[in-house]
Amino acid sequence: MWIGYGEDAHRLEPGRKLMLGGVEIASDRGAAAHSDGDALLHAIADAVLSAVGAGDIGEVFPDTDPRWAGLAGEELLERVLELAGAHPLRCERPRCGRVRQVRAVVTLDRPKLAPHREAMRHRIAELCGLEPADVSVAFKTSEGLAPDHVQARALVVLEEA
Ligand code: C5P
Ligand code: MG
């Protein structure tokens, strides 16, 4: 078993979509980003890369590369999962594994995310090939310390493929 940890943050701007865990959240502001700015899926993807010792998403999918311009969080996570060992026979690194558990925290002052918790858990579980019970997502405000940002942190447990 390997543990991985990842983080992501985006500035919030008016007129942008707010995507978290593959779920669109009704909000007057959203993430300023080249991609869909899904900080939660980005943090989970970084955690998966961290678990297998494969760098981070900025390195694997540089936003200077036109192939990755506007890459949606869901596709990015799917590509990372494949790279991490969804296909063990094609894995060239000493560590290849399948995600078994996801534990995440999103820090955002508003809007309230709790009404979207189950939708996020289901979508993340679906993407990772897990049951929703294997995915937890907690929410925190920054208590006004970072009112213009969304931040996500994620732990994953991978099991050897
Ligand atoms: O950060 P704080 O402890 O004040 O959060 C209080 C509650 O509000 C928590 O139960 C959390 O799940 C919820 N929350 C939320 N959406 C946010 C931030 C916090 O539903 N954006
Ligand atoms: Mg991001």
Side-chain angles (χ1 to χ4, degrees):
M1 299 268 216
W2 301 298
I3 291 175
Y5 180 70
E7 296 191 359
D8 195 32
H10 285 281
R11 202 155 31 77
L12 296 169
E13 283 184 351
R16 309 287 306 228
K17 272 208 287 191
L18 181 59
M19 296 295 297
L20 287 169
V23 175
E24 186 173 347
I25 312 292
S27 169
D28 57 349
R29 298 187 303 170
H34 293 290
S35 65
D36 60 0
D38 192 324
L40 178 50
L41 293 187
H42 291 176
I44 294 169
D46 256 350
V48 172
L49 290 176
S50 132
V52 298
D56 57 54
I57 54 176
E59 192 173 57
V60 180
F61 307 102
D63 58 15
T64 48
D65 184 332
R67 272 182 305 168
W68 312 128
L71 184 65
E74 296 195 354
E75 193 191 339
L76 183 139
L77 179 57
E78 280 170 347
R79 285 177 177 271
V80 162
L81 291 168
E82 184 160 337
L83 189 150
H87 300 289
L89 295 177
R90 282 197 259 134
C91 185
E92 289 160 8
R93 280 165 296 93
R95 290 179 178 182
C96 294
R98 295 186 64 93
V99 176
R100 290 297 180 214
Q101 296 180 38
V102 177
R103 302 284 180 257
V105 180
V106 178
T107 303
L108 179 73
D109 280 1
R110 62 178 180 82
K112 282 286 178 200
L113 297 172
H116 303 282
R117 192 191 318 269
E118 293 311 310
M120 291 184 201
R121 291 177 74 198
H122 278 79
R123 187 65 193 126
I124 293 164
E126 195 170 40
L127 288 164
C128 296
L130 297 171
E131 296 299 322
D134 299 317
V135 177
S136 77
V137 186
F139 307 117
K140 300 300 292 181
T141 67
S142 78
E143 295 286 350
L145 292 172
D148 302 320
H149 289 82
V150 56
Q151 180 155 27
R153 301 176 172 91
L155 280 173
V156 298
V157 172
L158 263 68
E159 191 175 52
E160 191 168 10

